[in-house]
Structure formats: C-alpha cells, structure tokens
Amino acid sequence: MSVAATGGFTGTGTLAAAAPAEAKPAARTLPPGLGSADAGTLLLPGLHFGAAMLFLLTGSLGLVAVSSDLAAGNFLSQHVAGVTHLFTLGWLTTTIYGALYQLLPVALGAPVRSRITGYVSFATHVPGAAIFACGVALGNLVMHHVGIALVATGVVLVVANVALSLPSARERDVTWFAVALSLTALLSTLVLGVVLLHNLHTGFLLESRVRVMSIHLHVAMVGWALTMMVGMSHRLLPMFLLAHRANTAWTGRALVLIPVGLTMLATALALRMRFMEWAGLVVLEAGVACYLLQCRAFYASRIRPGLDAGLRLSAIALCFIGASALMGPVLLVLGGVRQPRLAIAYVLTALLGGVVLFTVGHFYKIVPFLAWISRFRSRVGREAVPTVAELYSAKVAQVQLVLMTASVVALAAGVLAGAGALVRLGACGFVAGSVLFAAQAVRVAGWTKGGWG
C-alpha cells in the first residue's frame, strides 16, 4: 500500500523507465507526490515492510507446525492462536503501519506528525508482536505480558501519530474516513485482546470466551484489515489499473455498511441476540458486496488489457474474500463454533486467501516502485535505468501466484475434509510461495546498475 499518481505508470501499473534523455522530460515520468520522496522518507515504511516479510515467513512455517490441529478442527489450540497472530499482528499490522507512513503525506497531503514516533512505534511493535505470538503459542505468562505491553505501546503511538496527522489532510475523502474507522477498530481489537489474555490466566469469561474470541477476530479482520483495504483500494486500484473513469460510489456505501454491520454483529454476539446476529450479518455482507462491486468496477474500467502478477494476486484475493463471505451465513445456520472445521476454513479463506494475498499482491506494486524511486530516480535522464517491472522476475511471481492460491484452496479443503495430509501439503505450498516472495524482495533490494547481484 503505497501511493503514487498514474502519470508514470504503464498499462500494467509499472513505472515506465525513461531513456537517457533530457532531465526535464525524464522527471515528468515520476508520479506527483512520490517524486519528492528520498531514501530518508522511505526508510520508515521500508523497515516495516522488511519486518513484515519476516513475519510472513515465520507464520507460513507455523502453518506446517499446526497443520494437525487445523485438520482436527482444534481452533482453540494455543499453537493455532500463536500462528494466527504472526499473520495478523506480524504480517498484516506491520504492513499497514508502513503503508500509513507512506500514504499520509502523499495521498492525503497529511505530513506525519512525528517520524521519530514512527521509529519508536516500530521498535516496540515488531519485537512485541514476535514475543506475544510466541508467548501465546507456548503458553508463557511472562512473554504474554511483555509482548502485549510492547504491542499496546506501539498501537497507542501509531494511533496518536496518525490521529494528529489526519486533521492536516488536504481533503477528507473516503480513504481518510477509512483510515479513521480502521484505527478505531484497531484500538477495539487491542482492548478485546487484553480481555482475552486476562481470561487465559483467570478464566473469568467462562463459557463466553468463544464469543469474545469471535468478536475479537471479526473486529481485527473486518474492522481493522478489511476497512483499511476498502480505503486503500479506492486510491491504489485506479492508479495501478489506470481505471480513473470507474464509478466510485460503491466505496462510500461499503464504508457505511461494513462498520454498521460489524457493530451490530459484535453487539449481538456479546448479548446473545440471535435475530440481531442475522441482521448484523446481512448488513455486513451487503458492505462486503459493495466493496467487491467497487473493485470489479475498477478492474472492468482499466484502459489496457492484461494484468501483472500483483494485480492478479489482488483479484484472486478478492475472490477469496467473496468465498469467505458466502461461508458466513452457512456457519451461522449450522451453529458457528459447533462446526469447528467450517469455522477454521472460514477464517483461513478470509485471512490467508483474502487479506494476506491481497497485501502480497500490492507488495508487488509498491515495494519495487519505492525501491526504484530511492535508487534510480536521480539517474533518470543521465543513464539507462531499469523499469520497475525489471526489478523482479515476472515468471517467479507467476509461480508464486499459482502456489499460494492452490495452497489456500488445499488448506481450506483439507480442513473441511479433516484430511491432515492435504492440510500439510497446503501449508508446505504456502511456505514455498512465501519463500519465493521473499526471494523476490531480496532481488529488488539487490538490484544494481548492471542487474541483480
């Protein structure tokens, strides 16, 4: 999730390299806003993206370790919870933090209030997320408390930093509101997480534990992750797809229905109000449908045919989000957690297939571009420079796309069937895809004037 305008992008969403020519024409290939970025301003998001990559690799390996629990439908396993937090707190939240530090000054015209605070939040969040995830997986009391204290510090610093930056935005469009709504959900997720952590050691929630866990999970995935995706997509997909003529009304509708539906559903789960659960689910599903319709409008309005691997991954992720949305009513009809395998498949499809793959797809659009800006912008017009697409291998990206997509399908199918071998196969495939993705990131980081090395 980075930010740029369309002026310097080709039909596949990559920056067109300027041939050695006059300085002024070459400079015009740089997107407005990012054209003024330098290595110093890109360091903070870059650190976050690098740390997120390590979390993705660790979480992927964790899938293999918990494959037997997943196949058995053991969603209450502490090991499963630990691995889940590697993806949510580690990969997803760290990525969003880095994206916000890049998005605010460029897309919203809201300079980050304090970059020093950004570095401090990074220094607390990253070790905190790692310690907390390990503590949950191992059932270690000390690691629980140290990890949650560091994560909470990071959350408060990020929310305060962004909240103080938002008032200076040039305009308050749907992306602005999506960021504000997402940060509110993030704080709610933290509070619910602290409650669940306290329950691990006291048991005060009794039989309400699973309901609170369900609320925590939905607030994190829908309120924090999906709402941020809706806002980011509104800015990024038209840019990457060159689809600025698309009808954008669906985004606003999604940003009304999703928070309202989530609030109704969470309240109903807390108060055990069956009718309100259905009402909240219907509103929430309508919001997800509006988001998917908006993304479809962007893809349909692109001015050139063909999609690169990043945009294909994002499109596949949207299909997984739709599939997970279809599972929601079925899960509610069949009794929710009384169908543990379906519940796990529902979360796997939404988290790994939807949120994780969508973010991976956007990494292919963002990280190479930021690396290009940092390393080659000053050379444009003076020497031959690579295109953004040349910083990574399109063939490897395509193999990764197939691997990760097939792996999510295998994981969900294996869980539903209780087939441990299929779940392990899917987990191993996801590891392989993550390793290829990490190799691509190393390739981008290692690109030199004469090529990669």
Side-chain angles (χ1 to χ4, degrees), residues 52-67 70 83-84 86-87 91 352 356-357 360 404 411 423-424 426-437:
M53 185 71 68
L54 295 177
F55 279 118
L56 178 63
L57 288 170
T58 308
S60 300
L61 290 170
L63 283 175
V64 179
V66 301
S67 58
L70 295 176
V83 172
T84 301
L86 286 172
F87 286 109
W91 163 253
L352 295 184
V356 172
L357 289 193
V360 168
M404 298 188 90
L411 280 164
V423 174
R424 283 190 293 275
C428 291
F430 203 85
V431 171
S434 298
V435 170
L436 289 179
F437 183 43

Side-chain angles (χ1 to χ4, degrees), residues 43-399:
L43 177 59
L44 185 55
L47 286 173
H48 282 82
F49 295 152
M53 185 71 68
L54 295 177
F55 279 118
L56 178 63
L57 288 170
T58 308
S60 300
L61 290 170
L63 283 175
V64 179
V66 301
S67 58
S68 58
D69 282 324
L70 295 176
N74 187 10
F75 67 92
L76 293 177
S77 163
Q78 64 186 31
H79 302 112
V80 171
V83 172
T84 301
H85 282 90
L86 286 172
F87 286 109
T88 53
L89 270 181
W91 163 253
L92 176 63
T93 301
T94 307
T95 300
I96 293 177
Y97 285 173
L100 284 173
Y101 288 121
Q102 182 62 27
L103 172 73
L104 291 175
V106 178
L108 299 181
V112 176
R113 184 60 175 261
S114 170
R115 300 194 74 82
I116 293 177
T117 302
Y119 287 108
V120 175
S121 67
F122 174 82
T124 56
H125 170 77
V126 171
I131 292 170
F132 181 73
C134 290
V136 170
L138 299 175
N140 186 291
L141 178 62
V142 174
M143 295 178 76
H144 279 170
H145 287 90
V146 172
I148 199 65
L150 289 170
V151 167
T153 300
V155 168
V156 171
L157 289 174
V158 169
V159 170
N161 208 10
V162 175
L164 291 173
S165 304
L166 287 177
S168 62
R170 288 189 301 265
E171 57 178 324
R172 299 190 178 185
D173 61 0
V174 290
T175 301
W176 189 96
F177 283 103
V179 171
L181 288 168
S182 297
L183 292 177
T184 302
L186 176 61
L187 288 173
S188 301
T189 302
L190 175 62
V191 172
L192 289 166
V194 171
V195 170
L196 287 169
L197 178 60
H198 184 59
N199 178 74
L200 282 178
H201 308 296
T202 64
F204 79 98
L205 289 176
L206 301 176
E207 73 277 2
S208 299
R209 174 194 172 192
V210 174
R211 285 181 171 269
V212 176
M213 185 184 302
S214 179
I215 296 170
H216 173 67
L217 183 64
H218 281 86
V219 172
M221 290 181 56
V222 177
W224 169 231
L226 183 60
T227 303
M228 187 67 74
M229 284 172 58
V230 173
M232 296 290 187
S233 299
H234 189 81
R235 288 277 181 168
L236 299 180
L237 285 181
M239 173 185 69
F240 295 147
L241 292 164
L242 295 179
H244 293 282
R245 296 182 180 179
N247 175 16
T248 59
W250 292 106
T251 300
R253 296 163 189 161
L255 286 176
V256 171
L257 293 171
I258 289 175
V260 170
L262 176 62
T263 301
M264 293 172 64
L265 180 61
T267 302
L269 287 171
L271 300 179
R272 300 173 183 269
M273 300 171 64
R274 184 71 172 177
F275 174 78
M276 193 173 176
E277 284 184 25
W278 275 106
L281 181 63
V282 168
V283 175
L284 182 57
E285 295 271 318
V288 174
C290 287
Y291 172 54
L292 295 178
L293 285 171
Q294 182 63 80
C295 293
R296 180 180 180 276
F298 287 141
Y299 274 89
S301 300
R302 66 187 188 274
I303 64 175
R304 294 186 184 180
L307 298 171
D308 60 20
L311 289 171
R312 287 195 189 103
L313 263 174
S314 296
I316 290 169
L318 293 169
C319 294
F320 278 122
I321 289 174
S324 180
L326 292 176
M327 291 183 193
V330 177
L331 189 60
L332 192 55
V333 167
L334 296 180
V337 294
R338 289 196 291 275
Q339 301 294 327
R341 288 196 177 92
L342 179 58
I344 291 176
Y346 166 71
V347 175
L348 276 174
T349 304
L351 178 59
L352 295 184
V355 178
V356 172
L357 289 193
F358 188 86
T359 313
V360 168
H362 276 56
F363 250 66
Y364 269 111
K365 308 303 300 178
I366 294 157
V367 174
F369 177 67
L370 293 182
W372 192 98
I373 286 289
S374 176
R375 302 175 65 179
F376 297 107
R377 183 191 60 175
S378 61
R379 305 183 191 180
V380 173
R382 294 186 291 149
E383 59 183 87
V385 296
T387 64
V388 171
E390 289 173 341
L391 299 185
Y392 64 89
S393 168
K395 291 182 179 179
V396 172
Q398 186 62 33
V399 172

Side-chain angles (χ1 to χ4, degrees), residues 1-29:
M1 296 170 225
S2 175
V3 181
T6 58
F9 284 82
T10 65
T12 58
T14 55
L15 188 70
E22 299 177 8
K24 287 186 178 180
R28 284 199 298 269
T29 65

